[in-house]
Amino acid sequence: MKKLLFIGFLLIFINLPQEASARPLRVFVSILPQKYFVEKIGGDLVEVAVMVEPGASPHIYEPKPKQMVALAETNIYFAIGVPFETTWLEKIAATNPNMLVVHTEAGIKKIPMKGHHHEGRELEQDHHTIKDPHVWLSPPLVMIQARNILQVFLKVDPANRSLYEKNYNNFIKEVVMLHAEIRAALEGKGKKLDFMVFHPAWGYFAQAYGIEQVPIEIEGKQPKPAELQYLIQYAKERGIKVIFAQPQFSWQAAQAIAKSIDGQIVFVDPLAVDWDTNLRQVASKFKSALK
Ligand code: ZN
């Protein structure tokens, strides 16, 4: 009997670590583009679930009860600093004390949300308090996030170090190529060019490529009639013919402006899961609009 017990213990000790390493790491991310980054670096060693479901807005998202339950089985939560986390990240962390909560945007210097530059003092103050959360739309900033993701995997699963590092190096090469490609597509236009966008998600992208976004809405606030008039005037003066909008938001204001300037609405999605393909497409849409 004693012998059997001893063998039993031995089996437990032998089995536990093997079982743990054979199972992929369970990871949660806030938004779809992060799934792309985490899978690039984690490969088959990770299984990724996304909190903000396709078509939903990370500005106002509320986790579903079944997602809160799934967190109990999660090893790592990769946050990115999108607005719904302000309300929810603490609750998310509290569901599972064994889950590592990581801020992938750590080390990124955030810029204030850009407002309508003609506006009064009240609005201006508003803009300065809101930091732009859309850090995943700039390839140079994604390299910082990739580094943060890699560090976490090396810490949590050091046995697979070489695999993570290999994946990371390949991903960085891809991001460097994408960055060069977009820069080549958008540069050489002479002066700085404006594009008008309904929801100002493209601030870091614009910063990376020397173009400038003119927002219609600022973080959920629709323009007042006077602002709308100003924007129409602005677009006419600058010869802007395309208004960019995104599928997750209502875009009546964008439509009103487009109609007034005899222009059109083009959809660009900041939250697509096929991150690199999407950024390429966005760059080519911007390129044709900025001609
Ligand atoms: Zn946004």
Side-chain angles (χ1 to χ4, degrees), residues 10-54:
L10 246 160
L11 281 175
I12 287 167
F13 275 107
I14 292 165
N15 277 336
L16 266 181
Q18 277 179 345
E19 216 177 22
S21 66
R23 218 179 58 182
L25 280 173
R26 297 230 172 130
V27 172
F28 241 101
V29 295
S30 284
I31 56 169
L32 284 161
Q34 286 180 283
K35 178 175 155 76
Y36 182 89
F37 309 148
V38 168
E39 283 178 348
K40 277 284 174 184
I41 299 163
D44 295 337
L45 302 171
V46 299
E47 200 180 282
V48 186
V50 184
M51 192 53 90
V52 179
E53 292 169 337

Coordinates of all heavy atoms in Angstrom, one line a residue, residues 10-54:
L10 N 4.7 9.9 -7.2 CA 5.6 10.0 -8.2 C 5.0 10.4 -9.6 O 5.4 11.3 -10.3 CB 6.4 8.7 -8.4 CG 7.9 8.8 -8.0 CD1 8.4 7.4 -7.7 CD2 8.7 9.5 -9.1
L11 N 3.9 9.6 -9.8 CA 3.1 9.9 -11.1 C 2.6 11.3 -11.1 O 2.7 12.0 -12.2 CB 2.0 8.9 -11.2 CG 2.4 7.5 -11.7 CD1 1.2 6.6 -11.7 CD2 3.0 7.6 -13.1
I12 N 2.1 11.8 -10.0 CA 1.6 13.2 -9.9 C 2.7 14.1 -10.3 O 2.5 15.0 -11.1 CB 0.9 13.5 -8.6 CG1 -0.4 12.7 -8.4 CG2 0.7 15.0 -8.4 CD1 -0.9 12.7 -7.0
F13 N 3.8 13.9 -9.6 CA 4.9 14.8 -9.8 C 5.4 14.8 -11.3 O 5.8 15.8 -11.9 CB 6.1 14.5 -8.9 CG 5.9 15.2 -7.6 CD1 5.6 14.5 -6.4 CD2 6.1 16.6 -7.5 CE1 5.4 15.1 -5.2 CE2 5.9 17.2 -6.3 CZ 5.5 16.5 -5.1
I14 N 5.4 13.6 -11.9 CA 5.9 13.5 -13.2 C 4.9 14.1 -14.2 O 5.2 14.8 -15.1 CB 6.2 12.0 -13.6 CG1 7.4 11.5 -12.8 CG2 6.4 11.8 -15.1 CD1 7.6 10.0 -12.8
N15 N 3.6 13.8 -13.9 CA 2.6 14.3 -14.8 C 2.3 15.8 -14.9 O 2.1 16.3 -15.9 CB 1.2 13.6 -14.5 CG 1.2 12.2 -15.1 OD1 1.9 11.9 -16.1 ND2 0.4 11.3 -14.6
L16 N 2.3 16.4 -13.7 CA 1.9 17.8 -13.7 C 2.7 18.7 -14.6 O 2.1 19.4 -15.4 CB 2.1 18.3 -12.2 CG 0.8 18.3 -11.4 CD1 1.0 18.8 -10.0 CD2 -0.4 19.0 -12.1
P17 N 4.0 18.7 -14.5 CA 4.7 19.7 -15.4 C 4.5 19.4 -16.9 O 4.3 20.3 -17.7 CB 6.2 19.5 -15.0 CG 6.2 18.7 -13.8 CD 4.9 17.9 -13.8
Q18 N 4.5 18.1 -17.2 CA 4.3 17.8 -18.7 C 2.9 18.3 -19.2 O 2.8 18.9 -20.2 CB 4.3 16.3 -18.8 CG 5.7 15.7 -18.9 CD 5.8 14.2 -19.1 OE1 4.8 13.5 -18.8 NE2 6.9 13.7 -19.5
E19 N 1.9 18.1 -18.3 CA 0.6 18.5 -18.7 C 0.5 20.0 -18.9 O 0.0 20.5 -19.9 CB -0.4 18.1 -17.6 CG -1.8 17.7 -18.2 CD -2.7 17.2 -17.1 OE1 -2.5 17.6 -15.9 OE2 -3.6 16.5 -17.4
A20 N 1.2 20.7 -18.0 CA 1.2 22.2 -18.0 C 1.9 22.7 -19.3 O 1.4 23.6 -19.9 CB 1.9 22.7 -16.8
S21 N 3.0 22.1 -19.7 CA 3.7 22.6 -20.9 C 3.0 22.2 -22.2 O 3.2 22.8 -23.2 CB 5.1 22.2 -20.8 OG 5.3 20.8 -21.0
A22 N 2.3 21.1 -22.2 CA 1.7 20.6 -23.4 C 0.5 21.5 -23.8 O 0.1 21.5 -24.9 CB 1.3 19.2 -23.3
R23 N -0.1 22.1 -22.8 CA -1.3 22.9 -23.0 C -0.9 24.3 -23.4 O 0.0 24.9 -22.8 CB -2.1 22.9 -21.7 CG -3.6 22.9 -21.9 CD -4.3 22.9 -20.6 NE -4.0 24.1 -19.8 CZ -4.4 24.3 -18.6 NH1 -5.2 23.5 -18.0 NH2 -4.1 25.4 -18.0
P24 N -1.5 24.9 -24.4 CA -1.2 26.3 -24.8 C -1.5 27.2 -23.7 O -2.4 27.0 -22.9 CB -2.0 26.6 -26.0 CG -3.1 25.6 -26.1 CD -2.6 24.4 -25.3
L25 N -0.8 28.3 -23.6 CA -1.0 29.4 -22.6 C -2.4 30.0 -23.0 O -2.6 30.3 -24.2 CB 0.1 30.4 -22.7 CG 1.4 30.2 -21.9 CD1 2.3 31.3 -22.3 CD2 1.1 30.1 -20.4
R26 N -3.2 30.2 -22.0 CA -4.5 30.9 -22.3 C -4.3 32.4 -22.1 O -4.0 32.9 -21.1 CB -5.6 30.4 -21.4 CG -5.8 28.9 -21.6 CD -7.3 28.6 -21.8 NE -7.5 27.2 -22.2 CZ -8.3 26.4 -21.6 NH1 -9.1 26.8 -20.6 NH2 -8.4 25.2 -22.1
V27 N -4.6 33.1 -23.2 CA -4.4 34.5 -23.2 C -5.7 35.3 -23.6 O -6.5 34.8 -24.4 CB -3.3 34.9 -24.3 CG1 -3.2 36.4 -24.4 CG2 -2.0 34.3 -23.8
F28 N -5.9 36.4 -22.9 CA -7.0 37.3 -23.3 C -6.4 38.6 -23.7 O -5.4 39.1 -23.2 CB -7.9 37.6 -22.1 CG -9.4 37.1 -22.3 CD1 -9.8 35.9 -21.7 CD2 -10.2 37.9 -23.0 CE1 -11.1 35.5 -21.9 CE2 -11.6 37.5 -23.2 CZ -12.0 36.3 -22.6
V29 N -7.0 39.2 -24.8 CA -6.6 40.6 -25.2 C -7.8 41.5 -25.2 O -8.9 41.0 -25.2 CB -5.9 40.6 -26.6 CG1 -4.6 39.8 -26.5 CG2 -6.8 40.0 -27.6
S30 N -7.6 42.8 -25.2 CA -8.7 43.7 -25.2 C -9.3 43.8 -26.6 O -10.6 43.7 -26.8 CB -8.3 45.1 -24.7 OG -8.2 45.1 -23.3
I31 N -8.5 44.0 -27.7 CA -9.0 44.2 -29.0 C -8.4 43.3 -30.1 O -7.3 42.8 -29.9 CB -8.8 45.7 -29.4 CG1 -7.4 46.1 -29.3 CG2 -9.7 46.6 -28.6 CD1 -7.0 47.4 -30.0
L32 N -9.1 43.2 -31.2 CA -8.7 42.2 -32.2 C -7.3 42.4 -32.8 O -6.6 41.4 -32.9 CB -9.7 42.3 -33.4 CG -11.0 41.6 -33.2 CD1 -12.1 42.2 -34.1 CD2 -10.9 40.1 -33.3
P33 N -6.8 43.6 -33.0 CA -5.4 43.7 -33.5 C -4.4 43.1 -32.6 O -3.4 42.6 -33.0 CB -5.2 45.2 -33.7 CG -6.6 45.8 -33.9 CD -7.4 44.9 -33.0
Q34 N -4.7 43.1 -31.3 CA -3.7 42.5 -30.3 C -3.7 41.0 -30.5 O -2.6 40.4 -30.2 CB -4.2 42.8 -28.9 CG -4.0 44.2 -28.4 CD -4.5 44.3 -27.0 OE1 -5.7 44.3 -26.8 NE2 -3.7 44.3 -26.0
K35 N -4.8 40.4 -30.9 CA -4.8 39.0 -31.2 C -3.7 38.7 -32.3 O -3.0 37.7 -32.1 CB -6.2 38.5 -31.6 CG -6.3 37.1 -32.0 CD -7.8 36.8 -32.3 CE -8.0 35.6 -33.2 NZ -7.8 34.3 -32.6
Y36 N -3.7 39.5 -33.3 CA -2.7 39.4 -34.3 C -1.3 39.4 -33.8 O -0.4 38.5 -34.0 CB -2.9 40.5 -35.4 CG -2.0 40.4 -36.6 CD1 -2.3 39.6 -37.7 CD2 -0.8 41.1 -36.6 CE1 -1.5 39.6 -38.8 CE2 0.1 41.0 -37.7 CZ -0.3 40.3 -38.8 OH 0.5 40.2 -39.9
F37 N -1.0 40.4 -32.9 CA 0.4 40.6 -32.4 C 0.8 39.4 -31.5 O 1.9 38.9 -31.6 CB 0.5 41.9 -31.5 CG 0.0 43.1 -32.2 CD1 -0.6 44.2 -31.5 CD2 0.1 43.3 -33.6 CE1 -1.0 45.3 -32.1 CE2 -0.3 44.4 -34.2 CZ -0.9 45.4 -33.5
V38 N -0.2 39.0 -30.6 CA 0.1 38.0 -29.7 C 0.3 36.6 -30.4 O 1.2 35.8 -30.0 CB -1.0 37.9 -28.6 CG1 -0.9 36.6 -27.7 CG2 -1.0 39.1 -27.7
E39 N -0.5 36.4 -31.4 CA -0.3 35.1 -32.1 C 0.9 35.1 -32.9 O 1.6 34.0 -33.1 CB -1.6 34.9 -33.0 CG -2.8 34.4 -32.2 CD -4.0 34.1 -33.0 OE1 -4.1 34.6 -34.2 OE2 -5.0 33.6 -32.5
K40 N 1.4 36.2 -33.4 CA 2.6 36.3 -34.2 C 3.8 35.9 -33.3 O 4.7 35.2 -33.7 CB 2.9 37.7 -34.6 CG 2.2 38.1 -36.0 CD 2.9 37.5 -37.1 CE 2.1 37.7 -38.4 NZ 2.8 37.0 -39.6
I41 N 3.8 36.3 -32.0 CA 4.9 36.0 -31.1 C 4.7 34.7 -30.4 O 5.6 33.9 -30.1 CB 5.1 37.2 -30.1 CG1 5.4 38.5 -30.9 CG2 6.2 36.9 -29.1 CD1 5.2 39.8 -30.1
G42 N 3.4 34.4 -30.0 CA 3.2 33.1 -29.3 C 3.0 31.9 -30.1 O 3.2 30.8 -29.7
G43 N 2.6 32.1 -31.4 CA 2.4 31.0 -32.3 C 1.5 29.9 -31.7 O 0.5 30.3 -31.1
D44 N 1.9 28.6 -31.8 CA 1.0 27.5 -31.3 C 1.0 27.4 -29.8 O 0.3 26.6 -29.3 CB 1.5 26.2 -32.0 CG 1.3 26.2 -33.5 OD1 0.4 26.9 -33.9 OD2 2.0 25.4 -34.1
L45 N 1.9 28.1 -29.2 CA 2.1 28.0 -27.7 C 1.0 28.8 -27.0 O 0.9 28.7 -25.8 CB 3.4 28.5 -27.3 CG 4.6 27.8 -27.9 CD1 5.9 28.5 -27.6 CD2 4.7 26.3 -27.4
V46 N 0.2 29.6 -27.7 CA -0.9 30.4 -27.1 C -2.2 30.2 -27.7 O -2.3 29.8 -28.9 CB -0.5 31.9 -27.1 CG1 0.8 32.2 -26.3 CG2 -0.5 32.4 -28.5
E47 N -3.2 30.4 -26.9 CA -4.6 30.4 -27.4 C -5.2 31.7 -27.0 O -5.3 32.0 -25.8 CB -5.3 29.2 -26.7 CG -6.5 28.7 -27.3 CD -7.1 27.6 -26.5 OE1 -6.6 26.4 -26.6 OE2 -8.1 27.8 -25.7
V48 N -5.7 32.5 -28.0 CA -6.1 33.9 -27.7 C -7.6 34.1 -27.8 O -8.2 33.8 -28.8 CB -5.3 34.9 -28.7 CG1 -5.6 36.3 -28.3 CG2 -3.8 34.6 -28.7
A49 N -8.1 34.7 -26.8 CA -9.5 35.2 -26.8 C -9.5 36.7 -26.8 O -8.6 37.3 -26.2 CB -10.3 34.6 -25.6
V50 N -10.5 37.3 -27.4 CA -10.6 38.7 -27.5 C -11.8 39.3 -26.8 O -12.9 38.8 -26.9 CB -10.7 39.2 -29.0 CG1 -10.7 40.7 -29.2 CG2 -9.6 38.5 -29.9
M51 N -11.6 40.3 -26.0 CA -12.7 40.9 -25.1 C -13.7 41.6 -26.0 O -14.8 41.3 -26.0 CB -12.1 41.7 -24.0 CG -13.0 42.1 -22.9 SD -13.9 40.7 -22.2 CE -12.8 40.3 -20.9
V52 N -13.2 42.7 -26.7 CA -14.2 43.5 -27.5 C -14.5 42.7 -28.8 O -13.7 42.6 -29.6 CB -13.6 44.9 -27.8 CG1 -14.5 45.7 -28.6 CG2 -13.2 45.6 -26.5
E53 N -15.7 42.3 -28.8 CA -16.1 41.4 -29.9 C -16.2 42.2 -31.3 O -16.4 43.5 -31.2 CB -17.5 40.8 -29.6 CG -17.3 39.8 -28.4 CD -18.7 39.3 -27.9 OE1 -19.7 40.1 -28.0 OE2 -18.7 38.3 -27.3
P54 N -16.1 41.5 -32.4 CA -16.1 42.2 -33.7 C -17.3 43.1 -33.8 O -18.4 42.7 -33.5 CB -16.1 41.1 -34.7 CG -15.5 39.9 -34.0 CD -15.9 40.1 -32.5

